[in-house]
Amino acid sequence: MATTRTFSIIKPDATRRNITGAVVKMLEEAGLRVVASKRIHMTREQAEGFYAVHRERSFFGELVDFMISGPVVVQVLEGEDAMQRNRDIMGATNPANAAPGTIRKELAESIEANTVHGSDSDENAAIEIAYFFKPEEIVG
Ligand code: IDP
Ligand code: MG
């Protein structure tokens, strides 16, 4: 299995509760390495562009409002099969359905305020990484 990269966001519910360290600890314990990280407060335009694939979904407006309600931590994660590994440790979108030991089961507040984003394919990971990071910001 190859070493690959994926894109992660620690969402505003986690920065608000001061639990970004707890999230990173779970990512690291799952075998992922943070090779780039920055705390930002997204603009509405940035959040709408990032979630453009969801713009027809009923919750799009609320999702954008939530994602700009506070700072987030955008990250590039590296590891063996990083995209799938990250999705596995994140758990299901709705924390009520997430498996024990996953970030969303242990830490998330709701289906919307669910603590973490993770790319859902290697292709989208590359697109999402490039949306927030210049190549020279990914330092290993
Ligand atoms: P994912 O984050 O597990 O990949 P997606 O279906 O891509 O889930 O949805 C993107 C984000 O939109 C979710 O992480 C969550 O914050 C929000 N979301 C998804 N479904 C709902 C919903 O039914 N109500 C409100 N927010 C939702
Ligand atoms: Mg998704």
Side-chain angles (χ1 to χ4, degrees):
M1 194 61 78
T3 297
T4 57
R5 287 176 174 173
T6 192
F7 178 72
S8 164
I9 304 176
I10 305 177
K11 295 186 178 184
D13 65 282
T15 60
R16 176 171 48 76
R17 288 178 288 153
N18 201 26
I19 59 168
T20 64
V23 173
V24 171
K25 183 168 192 280
M26 292 178 78
L27 295 171
E28 290 178 344
E29 285 175 354
L32 293 159
R33 176 177 294 269
V34 179
V35 295
S37 175
K38 56 187 173 186
R39 189 167 175 119
I40 63 170
H41 197 141
M42 276 195 233
T43 64
R44 181 170 296 278
E45 292 66 35
Q46 241 177 337
E48 285 175 350
F50 180 73
Y51 278 122
V53 293
H54 294 313
R55 70 183 166 272
E56 305 304 334
R57 293 172 82 170
S58 58
F59 56 81
F60 178 72
E62 286 166 23
L63 175 60
V64 169
D65 286 345
F66 165 61
M67 291 300 288
I68 66 173
S69 68
V72 300
V73 180
V74 291
Q75 312 184 103
V76 180
L77 306 178
E78 192 175 88
E80 287 204 355
D81 198 11
M83 184 282 293
Q84 192 59 54
R85 195 176 279 248
N86 183 43
R87 293 294 307 195
D88 289 348
I89 189 61
M90 286 167 60
T93 305
N94 187 345
N97 301 330
T102 62
I103 293 169
R104 284 165 166 173
K105 184 64 172 188
E106 304 305 327
L107 299 176
E109 292 185 319
S110 67
I111 189 169
E112 177 181 79
N114 61 2
T115 308
V116 279
H117 165 85
S119 308
D120 61 6
S121 69
D122 287 343
E123 188 186 16
N124 284 337
I127 292 167
E128 292 175 359
I129 289 169
Y131 194 79
F132 287 103
F133 288 96
K134 299 179 190 137
E136 62 267 29
E137 291 179 306
I138 303 169
V139 293

